[in-house]
């Protein structure tokens, strides 16, 4: 065998080995990276479409990589929780490949969205909630099987809310050290966080002797970014810089937010009557996520470490979380793609008015991809050096 051929084989084998290595923990790096995805039903197509761009940018650097290879935490609520688990669950036991890529997530929504939000039979239409939830529960069990929280490819933080105990339940990989009962099946977590009141039934299950009666994580945190940041700070005590990518599912124009056309009034009134104590708890905890995050960015870390991508003027015709017509889902894909070309925005937490930055969302994602890739390479190098060896690029 020629020396050149031997050199090539050694180089390729070391290169692929480095690419296939799981992301070393933050102790080997300088930053902790978080991906956070809001709730919003079928509008989850918007952030999934945005993530396709980031996934492609990272694959351009390493074709074998996935988002779970770069983010220390993937957090999501409701549809964001479903997406987080799809991106972080292994495709098979022991595999380092995720169950879904972002493009496959979009295809999942477009294929199965109409079945998830399929109306009850005509003789059953008077029942609440609006949808029986059976398809989503069965599909979650089919895809996620027996996989549990401690088996995800990276850490996850998934909020839900226990409507009997009246407090949030956060399924966090970090909490498993002390709260073993949270190590539930991913299928149960998926159904729980997406059980939107009036639309889908609450999810009851038992794990490790603890009984859960859970509804949509949006009751606790529709935007789970602060929940994820809190978990990271508790784990790492702010010793590392945090990189946060937070993705929204679209906000209808302000004048359209409180439209008077509501097909679910009867279900809503019934649910409100049965859960007045829950509503009282929620009312006292107004969503101040943007304000809270200001204590972190730029309070503790550089403002540029936080990127929020959101459509703040969503066409009201796309506002429904359960509109799964082909036309609407195609429109949501277009919204996600159009967001990439729009200027990135940041929230003024004093006025709660957004202002434009000098770069587009696509440019901001490309810059984030550079940071994520550099952090991963740094960790791999430091871990290799710790073992007394040299990084793969230094051995050539």
């Amino acid at each position: 065998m020629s020396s050149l051929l031997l050199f090539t084989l050694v180089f390729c084998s070391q290169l692929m080995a480095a690419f296939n290595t799981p992301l070393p923990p933050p102790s080997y790096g300088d930053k902790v990276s978080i991906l956070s995805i809001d709730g919003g039903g079928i509008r989850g197509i918007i952030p999934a479409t945005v993530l396709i761009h980031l996934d492609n940018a990272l694959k351009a650097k390493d074709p074998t990589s996935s988002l779970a290879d770069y983010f220390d935490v993937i957090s999501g609520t409701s549809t964001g929780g479903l997406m987080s688990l799809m991106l972080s669950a292994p495709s098979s036991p022991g595999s380092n490949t995720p169950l879904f890529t972002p493009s496959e997530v979009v295809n999942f929504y477009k294929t199965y969205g109409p079945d998830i939000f399929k109306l009850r039979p005509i003789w059953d239409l008077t029942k609440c909630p609006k949808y029986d939830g059976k398809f989503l529960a069965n599909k979650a069990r089919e895809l996620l099987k027996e996989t549990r929280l401690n088996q995800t490819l990276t850490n996850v933080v998934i909020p839900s809310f226990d409507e009997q105990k009246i407090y949030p339940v956060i399924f966090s990989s970090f909490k498993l050290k002390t709260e073993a009962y949270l190590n539930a099946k991913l299928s149960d977590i998926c159904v729980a966080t997406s059980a939107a009141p009036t639309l889908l039934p609450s999810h009851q299950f038992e794990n490790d002797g603890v009984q859960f009666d859970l509804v949509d994580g949006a009751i606790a945190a529709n935007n789970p970014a602060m929940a994820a940041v809190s978990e990271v700070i508790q784990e790492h005590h702010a010793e590392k810089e945090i990189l946060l990518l937070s993705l929204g599912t679209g906000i209808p124009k302000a004048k359209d937010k409180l439209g008077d056309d509501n097909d679910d009034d009867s279900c809503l009134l019934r649910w409100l009557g049965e859960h007045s104590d829950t509503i009282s708890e929620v009312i006292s905890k107004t969503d101040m996520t943007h304000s809270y995050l200001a204590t972190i960015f730029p309070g503790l870390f550089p403002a540029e470490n936080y990127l929020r991508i959101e459509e703040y003027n969503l066409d009201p015709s796309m506002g429904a979380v359960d509109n799964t017509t082909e036309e609407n889902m195609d429109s949501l894909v277009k919204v996600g793609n159009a967001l990439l070309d729009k200027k990135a925005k940041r929230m003024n937490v004093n006025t709660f008015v957004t202002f434009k930055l000098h770069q587009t969302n696509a440019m901001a994602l490309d810059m984030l991809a550079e940071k994520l890739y550099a952090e991963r390479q740094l960790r791999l190098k430091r871990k290799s050096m710790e073992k007394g060896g040299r990084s793969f690029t230094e051995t050539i």
Side-chain angles (χ1 to χ4, degrees):
M1 182 182 294
S2 70
S3 58
L4 177 61
L5 179 58
L6 179 61
F7 171 87
T8 302
L9 292 174
V10 171
F11 174 83
C12 290
S13 64
Q14 293 193 25
L15 184 66
M16 294 309 295
F19 283 164
N20 289 329
T21 302
L23 179 65
S27 58
Y28 291 96
D30 294 338
K31 299 177 176 66
V32 181
S33 51
I34 302 173
L35 168 62
S36 174
I37 311 170
D38 289 10
I42 198 62
R43 298 203 316 259
I45 287 175
I46 296 174
T49 301
V50 170
L51 281 175
I52 292 174
H53 181 91
L54 178 60
D55 189 50
N56 288 338
L58 291 169
K59 280 187 167 58
K61 303 175 183 301
D62 175 0
T64 69
S65 67
S66 69
L67 293 178
D69 292 321
Y70 290 96
F71 284 101
D72 295 296
V73 182
I74 301 181
S75 179
T77 294
S78 195
T79 193
L82 171 61
M83 200 181 310
S84 297
L85 296 178
M86 295 165 78
L87 295 172
S88 62
S91 57
S92 60
S95 172
N96 288 327
T97 303
L99 192 62
F100 283 79
T101 65
S103 61
E104 290 169 341
V105 170
V106 173
N107 290 334
F108 175 89
Y109 279 115
K110 296 182 74 172
T111 301
Y112 298 114
D115 294 307
I116 294 172
F117 295 113
K118 184 177 182 180
L119 287 173
R120 295 172 180 271
I122 190 169
W123 61 83
D124 206 24
L125 285 177
T126 58
K127 290 186 178 180
C128 291
K130 188 174 180 180
Y131 309 104
D132 63 24
K134 293 179 181 178
F135 182 87
L136 178 59
N138 290 335
K139 181 58 66 174
R141 285 191 288 267
E142 174 191 329
L143 292 172
L144 298 166
K145 299 181 174 61
E146 299 297 310
T147 308
R148 292 185 176 270
L149 183 58
N150 66 346
Q151 297 173 299
T152 54
L153 299 179
T154 189
N155 298 298
V156 298
V157 176
I158 312 290
S160 60
F161 196 91
D162 196 304
E163 63 177 358
Q164 296 301 320
K165 299 170 184 174
I166 317 299
Y167 59 65
V169 176
I170 299 179
F171 290 96
S172 166
S173 302
F174 301 112
K175 294 184 183 297
L176 296 182
K177 299 173 185 176
T178 57
E179 313 297 335
Y181 69 93
L182 291 175
N183 192 30
K185 292 180 182 180
L186 297 187
S187 58
D188 283 321
I189 298 173
C190 165
V191 175
T193 191
S194 56
T198 78
L199 293 179
L200 293 165
S202 61
H203 186 52
Q204 296 87 29
F205 66 97
E206 182 270 339
N207 189 62
D208 198 28
V210 176
Q211 187 67 36
F212 295 96
D213 186 354
L214 303 177
V215 294
D216 197 324
I219 296 293
N222 193 57
N223 178 344
M226 194 62 209
V229 169
S230 176
E231 290 292 302
V232 166
I233 290 178
Q234 290 178 63
E235 179 74 11
H236 298 286
H237 307 290
E239 296 171 353
K240 305 286 184 179
E241 279 193 25
I242 294 176
L243 283 177
L244 171 62
L245 171 61
S246 175
L247 303 178
T249 58
I251 300 175
K253 298 175 183 178
K255 65 179 181 180
D256 299 308
K257 286 181 182 178
L258 300 177
D260 57 7
D261 183 15
N262 188 348
D263 294 333
D264 303 316
D265 283 344
S266 60
C267 285
L268 178 60
L269 289 174
R270 186 183 304 179
W271 189 85
L272 290 174
E274 294 173 353
H275 300 85
S276 58
D277 48 358
T278 300
I279 296 302
S280 297
E281 180 76 7
V282 173
I283 289 175
S284 67
K285 295 183 178 179
T286 305
D287 184 8
M288 293 287 288
T289 301
H290 290 292
S291 182
Y292 295 152
L293 285 172
T295 66
I296 312 296
F297 313 98
L300 295 177
F301 308 117
E304 57 267 25
N305 280 22
Y306 171 40
L307 174 61
R308 171 73 173 174
I309 299 181
E310 174 72 283
E311 174 52 69
Y312 292 97
N313 292 292
L314 186 67
D315 188 314
S317 67
M318 291 182 271
V321 300
D322 58 346
N323 181 353
T324 56
T325 64
E326 183 176 353
E327 178 183 7
N328 185 63
M329 292 190 289
D330 287 342
S331 295
L332 292 171
V333 172
K334 292 177 182 178
V335 169
N337 284 322
L339 264 177
L340 296 170
D341 294 325
K342 291 185 177 182
K343 292 289 186 180
K345 292 183 177 181
R346 190 164 292 155
M347 179 75 72
N348 182 320
V349 296
N350 295 315
T351 63
F352 289 94
V353 175
T354 59
F355 59 94
K356 293 181 180 179
L357 303 180
H358 297 299
Q359 58 190 355
T360 65
N361 286 313
M363 293 167 61
L365 287 171
D366 290 340
M367 291 179 62
L368 176 62
E370 293 286 348
K371 293 179 181 179
L372 292 171
Y373 182 74
E375 174 68 15
R376 175 175 168 79
Q377 295 305 106
L378 175 64
R379 294 188 195 181
L380 290 171
K381 180 177 180 179
R382 286 179 176 172
K383 186 174 182 180
S384 174
M385 297 299 289
E386 180 186 70
K387 294 180 178 180
R390 290 179 293 165
S391 62
F392 76 96
T393 55
E394 295 173 326
T395 62
I396 301 170

